[in-house]
Amino acid sequence: MKDGLALRRLFIAANWKMNTIRQEATELIRGIKDRMGSVSAVDIMVAPPFTVLESVGRELLNTRIQLGAQDVYFEKSGAYTGEISPGMLVDAGCTYVIIGHSERRQYFAENDEMVNKKVMAGLKSYLVPILCVGESWEERKQGKTFFVLNQQILFGLQGIDNHDLSSLVIAYEPVWAIGTGKSATIEQAQEVHAYLRNVIQEFSSREVAEAVRILYGGSMNPNNARDLLSQRDVDGGLIGGASLKAETFSTLVEIAEEVQRWKHHE
Ligand code: PGA
């Protein structure tokens, strides 16, 4: 183990967003499953829409691929028309939940307070939250990147104890890189990931900060994945567009597998 590096397994997570009806979802997950035979060094998750969680989950039984959801509500049950509770996600077979994705913040007015409640609620039900943070292009241009990320992390993780923190996953997703084909450079990604790890270290401990996995998201694809994943503080990817084709997603997992072995033997 070198400098805590070996403790973190690379994690490749698929965010299908609002795509796939049942038949498409089944075909996609079977395609992914069929190509996953020899993968053992990285963790893999797919987050399909709520409506196909159960059918995708059924396909994943006895595989190494975990099921996740794209959002959750923070109340346990009750009169919250249209919402889905953490318990419902666990019941549907989920182990992960994406929280605070920039599309939720942008189009559904999610703020840091709601994000924090969702993270807490997820943890209470033993779901692993994948907390998404990221700056807009405007904010980057104005030199506010670190300020924005600092706020999102500090508010998003308020009140969470060290034990829960170390199991958590963070996804750095610069808003300007999502779905644009223009990913962050390796220098930009590593700089922010190191910064985020430092923020976590400041309000918890070095041990916790070294355990937390920080994924990069935003136009990750087979052409840029190797370089991004090779960075010291990049522990995986949250993949949107490139996760909707079984072959492309599997290629990303294979690349991660190679990088993981290389990182461990560093
Ligand atoms: P993208 O999306 O890979 O299509 O850029 C990533 C995400 O929004 O999680």
Side-chain angles (χ1 to χ4, degrees), residues 13-17 98 101-103 132 171 173-175 177-182 216-221 237-244:
N15 176 8
W16 290 3
K17 307 193 179 181
I98 298 170
H101 190 281
S102 64
E103 285 149 17
C132 300
E173 300 205 306
V175 179
I178 296 177
T180 58
K182 182 180 183 287
Y216 169 79
S219 298
M220 191 184 264
N221 61 48
L238 181 54
I239 325 282
S243 74
L244 292 170

Side-chain angles (χ1 to χ4, degrees), residues 38-53:
S38 60
V39 174
S40 61
V42 301
D43 292 336
I44 308 158
M45 180 215 76
V46 296
F50 292 133
T51 47
V52 295
L53 277 177

Side-chain angles (χ1 to χ4, degrees), residues 9 13 24 46 52 71 91 110 130 133 141 144 167 176 199 205 213 221 226 250 260-261:
R9 281 166 69 85
E24 293 163 340
V46 296
V52 295
D71 187 25
D91 186 49
E110 274 193 21
I130 301 176
V133 296
K141 267 196 327 206
K144 291 187 187 155
S167 68
W176 46 273
V199 173
S205 67
R213 288 188 288 187
N221 61 48
R226 190 180 309 273
S250 314
Q260 174 81 76
R261 294 187 198 285

Side-chain angles (χ1 to χ4, degrees), residues 3 55 86 146 210:
D3 200 16
S55 50
F146 293 140
E210 283 300 322

Side-chain angles (χ1 to χ4, degrees), residues 5-9 259-266:
L5 210 58
L7 289 176
R8 300 194 300 268
R9 281 166 69 85
V259 174
Q260 174 81 76
R261 294 187 198 285
W262 170 78
K263 273 187 163 175
H264 276 200
H265 290 110
E266 268 275 275

